[in-house]
Amino acid sequence: MSNYRRNFVHGGCYFFTVNLLERQRTLLTDHIDLLRDSVRRVKVLYPFHIDAWVVLPDHMHAVWTLPPDTNDFPVRWRLIKLLFSKGLPHTERLSSVRRQRSERGIWQRRYWEHTISTESDYAQHIDYVHANPLKHGHVNRICDWPYSSFHRYVRDGILSVDWRGDVGDLPNVLD
């Protein structure tokens, strides 16, 4: 078994990639209201700031900043995934291992996490999040993807509605 470690920083800023188990499914966008409600409910119990977020049909990327008194992002992800899964009908295929453990077959067990360490690192990951629908060919213009914090950045005057980003200059992260 691999030696799997997370970097825990109180008040840290993190980039995440979270994937569905079956990458051909479109559960995240098909059930976007359930996902949004799951995130809202978790934020009430375990606050965090959403710096950026994009939801694609089969995976999502997020940049979060945690409160200064905590480093516990795993509990937040565990609860978001749990609440989302509980709201879905049981239609997924289950492996014998997942069946024995009474697990759902919705999510990949692990997720990618990167601790943001510099302002440049932060800016690159924010851009990566916002450019992701374009990178995956879901839209021709980033502003046309509805499930993104890009729209908040436009509303707040941080990015222009015609911002395209340069996907080639963005970090190489797991999708």
Side-chain angles (χ1 to χ4, degrees):
M1 182 168 217
S2 63
N3 188 6
Y4 190 77
R5 296 182 187 204
R6 297 247 186 239
N7 188 29
F8 295 102
V9 177
H10 279 77
C13 183
Y14 298 92
F15 168 83
F16 301 99
T17 299
V18 181
N19 297 311
L20 292 178
L21 179 62
E22 295 181 28
R23 295 294 301 267
Q24 70 280 8
R25 298 193 75 183
T26 59
L27 294 173
L28 297 176
T29 52
D30 292 348
H31 301 279
I32 192 69
D33 291 334
L34 174 61
L35 179 62
R36 286 175 174 154
D37 184 59
S38 300
V39 172
R40 273 192 290 275
R41 290 174 61 192
V42 171
K43 280 186 73 179
V44 168
L45 297 172
Y46 298 94
F48 59 95
H49 180 263
I50 298 172
D51 299 78
W53 201 312
V54 67
V55 178
L56 295 152
D58 63 341
H59 72 284
M60 57 188 161
H61 298 290
V63 176
W64 293 356
T65 301
L66 297 179
D69 62 339
T70 187
N71 62 8
D72 196 356
F73 56 83
V75 72
R76 289 158 172 83
W77 278 118
R78 185 171 47 252
L79 289 172
I80 289 168
K81 291 164 79 172
L82 175 73
L83 290 171
F84 182 78
S85 297
K86 282 185 174 247
L88 295 175
H90 291 261
T91 59
E92 72 274 13
R93 288 177 276 148
L94 293 176
S95 68
S96 59
V97 171
R98 285 187 186 263
R99 195 172 290 110
Q100 287 171 349
R101 294 180 181 177
S102 298
E103 292 179 3
R104 297 287 307 264
I106 307 292
W107 301 100
Q108 288 184 3
R109 285 195 180 106
R110 303 228 187 260
Y111 52 87
W112 171 259
E113 155 259 323
H114 165 76
T115 307
I116 304 289
S117 57
T118 65
E119 286 184 34
S120 172
D121 191 24
Y122 179 81
Q124 286 181 329
H125 281 85
I126 297 291
D127 288 351
Y128 183 87
V129 166
H130 292 147
N132 213 250
L134 182 67
K135 175 187 174 215
H136 286 284
H138 292 295
V139 291
N140 291 322
R141 299 178 321 150
I142 293 169
C143 65
D144 292 335
W145 189 252
Y147 313 118
S148 173
S149 59
F150 173 76
H151 302 286
R152 183 182 78 206
Y153 278 64
V154 170
R155 185 186 67 237
D156 292 347
I158 299 167
L159 294 174
S160 67
V161 72
D162 60 348
W163 181 83
R164 288 189 53 86
D166 184 355
V167 178
D169 289 343
L170 298 176
N172 183 16
V173 299
L174 301 175
D175 274 311

PDB file of all heavy atoms in Angstrom, residues 69 92 122 162:
ATOM      1  N   ASP A  69      -8.317  28.612  12.654  1.00  0.00           N
ATOM      2  CA  ASP A  69      -8.270  27.666  13.762  1.00  0.00           C
ATOM      3  C   ASP A  69      -8.429  26.205  13.335  1.00  0.00           C
ATOM      4  O   ASP A  69      -8.558  25.330  14.196  1.00  0.00           O
ATOM      5  CB  ASP A  69      -9.344  28.014  14.794  1.00  0.00           C
ATOM      6  CG  ASP A  69     -10.757  27.920  14.219  1.00  0.00           C
ATOM      7  OD1 ASP A  69     -10.909  27.986  12.980  1.00  0.00           O
ATOM      8  OD2 ASP A  69     -11.702  27.788  15.009  1.00  0.00           O
ATOM      9  N   GLU A  92     -26.259   3.198  -9.113  1.00  0.00           N
ATOM     10  CA  GLU A  92     -24.895   2.916  -9.541  1.00  0.00           C
ATOM     11  C   GLU A  92     -24.538   1.438  -9.378  1.00  0.00           C
ATOM     12  O   GLU A  92     -25.135   0.740  -8.563  1.00  0.00           O
ATOM     13  CB  GLU A  92     -23.885   3.779  -8.760  1.00  0.00           C
ATOM     14  CG  GLU A  92     -23.696   3.389  -7.311  1.00  0.00           C
ATOM     15  CD  GLU A  92     -24.693   4.025  -6.354  1.00  0.00           C
ATOM     16  OE1 GLU A  92     -25.711   4.596  -6.794  1.00  0.00           O
ATOM     17  OE2 GLU A  92     -24.463   3.913  -5.143  1.00  0.00           O
ATOM     18  N   TYR A 122      -1.448  30.579  -6.205  1.00  0.00           N
ATOM     19  CA  TYR A 122      -2.872  30.854  -6.008  1.00  0.00           C
ATOM     20  C   TYR A 122      -3.507  31.309  -7.322  1.00  0.00           C
ATOM     21  O   TYR A 122      -4.524  30.761  -7.759  1.00  0.00           O
ATOM     22  CB  TYR A 122      -3.033  31.915  -4.917  1.00  0.00           C
ATOM     23  CG  TYR A 122      -4.451  32.324  -4.621  1.00  0.00           C
ATOM     24  CD1 TYR A 122      -5.250  31.546  -3.789  1.00  0.00           C
ATOM     25  CD2 TYR A 122      -4.997  33.490  -5.148  1.00  0.00           C
ATOM     26  CE1 TYR A 122      -6.555  31.920  -3.488  1.00  0.00           C
ATOM     27  CE2 TYR A 122      -6.295  33.870  -4.859  1.00  0.00           C
ATOM     28  CZ  TYR A 122      -7.064  33.081  -4.027  1.00  0.00           C
ATOM     29  OH  TYR A 122      -8.360  33.460  -3.741  1.00  0.00           O
ATOM     30  N   ASP A 162     -15.118  38.261 -21.178  1.00  0.00           N
ATOM     31  CA  ASP A 162     -14.483  37.613 -22.325  1.00  0.00           C
ATOM     32  C   ASP A 162     -13.110  37.012 -22.003  1.00  0.00           C
ATOM     33  O   ASP A 162     -12.378  36.617 -22.904  1.00  0.00           O
ATOM     34  CB  ASP A 162     -14.389  38.580 -23.510  1.00  0.00           C
ATOM     35  CG  ASP A 162     -13.581  39.824 -23.202  1.00  0.00           C
ATOM     36  OD1 ASP A 162     -13.281  40.065 -22.016  1.00  0.00           O
ATOM     37  OD2 ASP A 162     -13.273  40.571 -24.144  1.00  0.00           O
TER      38      ASP A 162
END
